[in-house]
């Protein structure tokens, strides 16, 4: 149990926590809305499924390349506004505007026109979003140097971020509501403008109100210029290799890859099980049950699970809190076998309080532990601090795993015999799908616990590292 009190100078004021949380709401709302809206490329704009698949995959490859570059740039930026905040401000504006522009499609346009329009603006949107997201994550790592306050900051921001997942599932309902929008295409166009405006306003708040390291007393900074582009790229790759040799960090990446992508791989299965198993393929009868399932999960995660995880971390340490929360989530996944009951739909909410510990604990604790890892990296490799690079590589791992999960999801559905255009599914198919829905996340969560079992960066070690750094270069 930790008995070290957080010093007043290391506490993040509530206003800064709220602003940082607003940024995380945007971090969740944009990809959540994008995922929902992509479905309407097929139904509202008549896009060929193959082309729609390309539009989903090609930008992700580009996104994976730009993240580490942006992390390196923000690590080595020096300005009177800090290393991260100028990029967050500009990136928030670009993200909000370009998200709205991205969806101003028309079904009357040719497929070729819509394809190239969407692809080009997807790439531009991802540039703006990377400019916003990568420095924001890095900013969170440097807002406090206290072991426990880092967890409290991440818990607060993850709670605010969950609000996005309370809203996003209802976009399906709103866009398809003929009383609100004459057509789905109009619904997508108008709702995208609203989402973009909200993200722009909330996204600039961390740039205005949050405080990180200004870089004024950091030596070994790299000059960011076109003239030194070749040297910069060499330093970037050297930094990536250096980060990849950090064993505690690679454990965090491995555990995250397993837990998050085990969840992602089966994320859509709950929808299929509710519709085809509980309501025998009757979408009208299924109604809003899938949306309520997602919303209740987000509510429980935000207001019940994350505060508990933060307390567990304070009492038992971050590694133990992760192992406990992941084990509880395994119980939740197993309970889904009895929760999805055709005779009583309300039972579907029974596993949620347990399952929510999975992702609720994952990002709250892993982001806090990554901040600790940044201290270890400075101790071993010196300046400049690489919060942006660590954040970029961590989220690159998440995104690549997510892309892999989306590919494997199709193979799993094929293996269980799921037929997408069939009005109903066979009993054997639904049994196999329900088994996969439980076994996959249970297995990946179990392996993640093994990976983190001997994680070495304890609270005691983290505080020793902090003291050594202060003795070496003073307070930042």
């Amino acid at each position: 149990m930790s008995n070290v009190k957080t010093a007043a100078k290391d506490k993040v004021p509530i206003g800064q926590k709220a602003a940082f949380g607003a940024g995380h709401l945007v971090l969740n709302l944009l990809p959540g809305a994008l995922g929902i809206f992509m479905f309407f490329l097929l139904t509202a704009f008549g896009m060929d499924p193959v082309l729609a698949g390309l539009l989903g995959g090609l930008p992700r490859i580009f996104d994976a390349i730009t993240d580490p570059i942006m992390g390196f740039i923000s690590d080595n930026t020096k300005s009177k506004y800090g290393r991260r905040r100028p990029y967050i401000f500009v990136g928030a504006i670009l993200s909000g505007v370009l998200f709205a522009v991205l969806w101003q499609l028309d079904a009357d346009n040719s497929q070729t026109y819509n394809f190239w329009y969407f692809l080009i603006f997807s790439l531009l949107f991802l540039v703006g979003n990377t400019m916003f997201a990568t420095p924001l994550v890095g900013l969170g790592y440097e807002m406090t140097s206290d072991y426990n306050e880092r967890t409290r900051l991440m818990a607060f921001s993850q709670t605010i971020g969950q609000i996005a997942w309370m809203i996003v599932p209802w976009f399906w309902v709103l866009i398809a509501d003929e009383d609100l929008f004459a057509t789905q295409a109009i619904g997508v166009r108008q709702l995208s403008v609203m989402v973009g405006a909200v993200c722009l306003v909330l996204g600039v708040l961390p740039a205005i109100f949050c405080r990180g390291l200004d870089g004024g007393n950091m030596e070994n900074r790299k000059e960011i210029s076109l003239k030194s582009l070749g040297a910069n790229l060499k330093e970037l790759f050297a930094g990536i290799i250096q980060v990849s040799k950090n064993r505690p960090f690679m454990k965090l990446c491995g555990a995250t890859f397993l837990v998050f992508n085990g969840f992602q791989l089966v994320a859509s299965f709950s929808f299929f099980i509710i519709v085809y198993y509980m309501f025998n393929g009757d979408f009208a009868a299924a109604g809003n049950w899938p949306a309520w399932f997602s919303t209740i999960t987000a509510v429980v995660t935000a207001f019940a699970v994350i505060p508990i995880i933060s307390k567990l971390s304070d009492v038992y340490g971050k590694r133990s809190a992760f192992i406990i929360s992941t084990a509880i989530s395994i119980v939740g996944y197993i309970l889904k076998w009895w929760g999805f009951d055709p005779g009583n739909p309300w039972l579907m909410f029974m596993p949620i309080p347990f399952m929510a510990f999975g992702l609720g604990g994952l990002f709250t604790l892993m982001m806090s532990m990554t901040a600790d890892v940044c201290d270890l990296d400075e101790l071993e490799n010196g300046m400049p601090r690489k919060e942006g690079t660590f954040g970029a590589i961590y989220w690159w791992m998440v995104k690549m795993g997510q892309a892999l999960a989306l590919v494997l999801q199709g193979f799993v559905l094929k293996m269980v015999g799921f037929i997408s255009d069939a009005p109903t599914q066979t009993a054997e198919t639904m049994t196999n799908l329900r088994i996969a829905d439980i076994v996959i996340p249970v297995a990946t969560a179990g392996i993640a616990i093994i990976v983190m079992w001997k994680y070495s960066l304890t609270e005691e070690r983290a505080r020793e590292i902090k003291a050594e750094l202060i003795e070496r270069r003073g307070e930042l």
Side-chain angles (χ1 to χ4, degrees):
M1 179 181 291
S2 174
N3 56 6
V4 180
K5 278 196 168 185
T6 301
K9 65 181 177 61
D10 289 328
K11 290 184 177 179
V12 180
I14 188 65
Q16 289 193 43
K17 283 182 178 176
F20 187 62
H24 274 261
L25 200 159
V26 175
L27 280 184
N28 286 277
L29 184 56
L30 283 173
L34 187 66
I36 298 282
F37 285 17
M38 288 293 289
F39 172 81
F40 292 99
L41 281 177
L42 302 172
T43 62
F45 302 107
M47 186 72 69
D48 180 271
V50 174
L51 295 179
L54 288 173
L55 291 174
L58 291 176
R60 297 294 169 275
I61 299 171
F62 177 74
D63 194 28
I65 296 170
T66 58
D67 277 1
I69 295 173
M70 188 65 240
F72 176 80
I73 291 172
S74 72
D75 281 341
N76 290 280
T77 293
K78 182 177 181 180
S79 82
K80 64 179 181 179
Y81 301 110
R83 299 193 291 170
R84 323 284 182 193
R85 292 162 63 209
Y87 299 115
I88 294 170
F89 188 86
V90 174
I93 294 171
L94 289 175
S95 295
V97 170
L98 289 169
F99 183 83
V101 172
L102 175 64
W103 291 101
Q104 302 312 304
L105 298 167
D106 195 315
D108 293 334
N109 297 330
S110 69
Q111 276 208 47
T112 302
Y113 176 89
N114 279 344
F115 175 84
W116 285 106
Y117 176 96
F118 194 89
L119 180 60
I120 291 168
F121 278 104
S122 284
L123 298 178
L124 293 174
F125 163 72
L126 287 173
V127 169
N129 193 237
T130 298
M131 191 181 293
F132 168 75
T134 302
L136 179 69
V137 171
L139 179 67
Y141 295 152
E142 64 187 33
M143 285 174 67
T144 176
S145 61
D146 182 77
Y147 180 84
N148 289 321
E149 185 67 4
R150 283 169 169 166
T151 303
R152 296 183 199 114
L153 173 64
M154 297 309 171
F156 192 98
S157 65
Q158 291 298 316
T159 296
I160 301 299
Q162 284 297 315
I163 294 173
W165 300 107
M166 300 173 202
I167 299 168
V168 163
W170 296 95
F171 288 169
W172 295 100
V173 180
L174 294 174
I175 292 172
D177 190 339
E178 294 179 359
D179 293 329
L180 283 177
F181 303 110
T183 66
Q184 291 182 357
I186 293 173
V188 169
R189 286 196 292 265
Q190 294 186 4
L191 199 56
S192 69
V193 173
M194 298 177 202
V195 170
V198 168
C199 289
L200 189 157
V201 172
L202 295 178
V204 299
L205 296 181
I208 297 171
F209 295 107
C210 293
R211 295 292 179 270
L213 302 176
D214 64 10
N217 58 346
M218 293 188 189
E219 70 274 17
N220 298 332
R221 311 182 72 71
K222 312 303 174 188
E223 180 189 356
I224 304 296
S225 68
L226 290 175
K227 290 182 179 179
S228 59
L229 184 60
N232 286 340
L233 288 174
K234 184 178 178 181
E235 293 289 346
L236 167 63
F237 291 123
I240 291 173
I241 291 171
Q242 209 171 63
V243 165
S244 69
K245 292 180 179 178
N246 188 306
R247 292 188 66 185
F249 179 65
M250 295 315 293
K251 283 180 178 285
L252 300 183
C253 288
T256 300
F257 183 92
L258 288 161
V259 173
F260 182 64
N261 298 303
F263 168 84
Q264 280 292 112
L265 207 158
V266 302
S268 67
F269 294 0
S270 294
F271 174 81
F272 295 137
I273 292 168
I274 292 170
V275 172
Y276 290 100
Y277 176 67
M278 295 177 62
F279 292 96
N280 199 32
D282 189 339
F283 279 77
N288 294 334
W289 284 106
W292 277 117
F293 184 82
S294 299
T295 298
I296 296 299
T297 300
V299 170
V300 171
T301 302
F303 301 116
V305 168
I306 290 176
I308 293 172
I309 288 166
S310 182
K311 186 65 177 175
L312 284 173
S313 176
D314 278 354
V315 175
Y316 299 109
K318 299 173 189 179
R319 181 191 71 91
S320 296
F322 171 80
I323 291 171
I324 292 168
S325 62
T326 305
I328 293 172
S329 75
I330 289 175
V331 174
Y333 288 125
I334 294 170
L335 286 174
K336 289 172 82 174
W337 184 261
W338 296 275
F340 289 121
D341 183 353
N344 185 358
W346 291 98
L347 284 176
M348 75 171 72
F349 301 120
M350 175 183 65
I352 287 176
F354 301 92
M355 291 193 311
F357 274 87
L359 294 192
L362 181 71
F363 290 116
T364 299
L365 296 167
M366 292 301 183
M367 291 184 71
S368 177
M369 285 192 270
T370 302
D372 300 333
V373 164
C374 293
D375 288 346
L376 175 63
D377 177 73
E378 184 195 340
L379 182 69
E380 293 178 342
N381 301 306
M383 293 286 192
R385 288 178 64 89
K386 296 190 281 290
E387 286 94 345
T389 302
F390 274 100
I393 292 173
Y394 179 84
W395 286 101
W396 177 85
M397 182 80 73
V398 170
K399 290 174 182 178
M400 286 296 96
Q402 190 173 20
L404 178 63
L406 291 173
V407 173
L408 293 177
Q409 188 179 89
F411 284 102
V412 173
L413 288 172
K414 189 174 182 65
M415 284 175 60
V416 302
F418 188 88
I419 303 172
S420 58
D421 56 354
T424 60
Q425 306 293 329
T426 66
E428 182 183 6
T429 292
M430 294 316 302
T431 298
N432 291 337
L433 185 62
R434 293 175 65 213
I435 292 171
D437 186 45
I438 295 169
V439 169
I440 291 171
V442 165
T444 55
I447 298 170
I449 289 175
I450 295 171
V451 169
M452 291 297 293
W453 196 261
K454 292 188 177 181
Y455 179 76
S456 60
L457 201 48
T458 61
E459 177 176 359
E460 182 182 7
R461 178 58 183 144
R463 294 192 183 280
E464 288 173 358
I465 290 170
K466 179 182 176 181
E468 288 181 56
L469 290 175
I470 292 173
E471 186 177 352
R472 177 195 291 178
R473 42 77 168 149
E475 292 273 9
L476 289 179

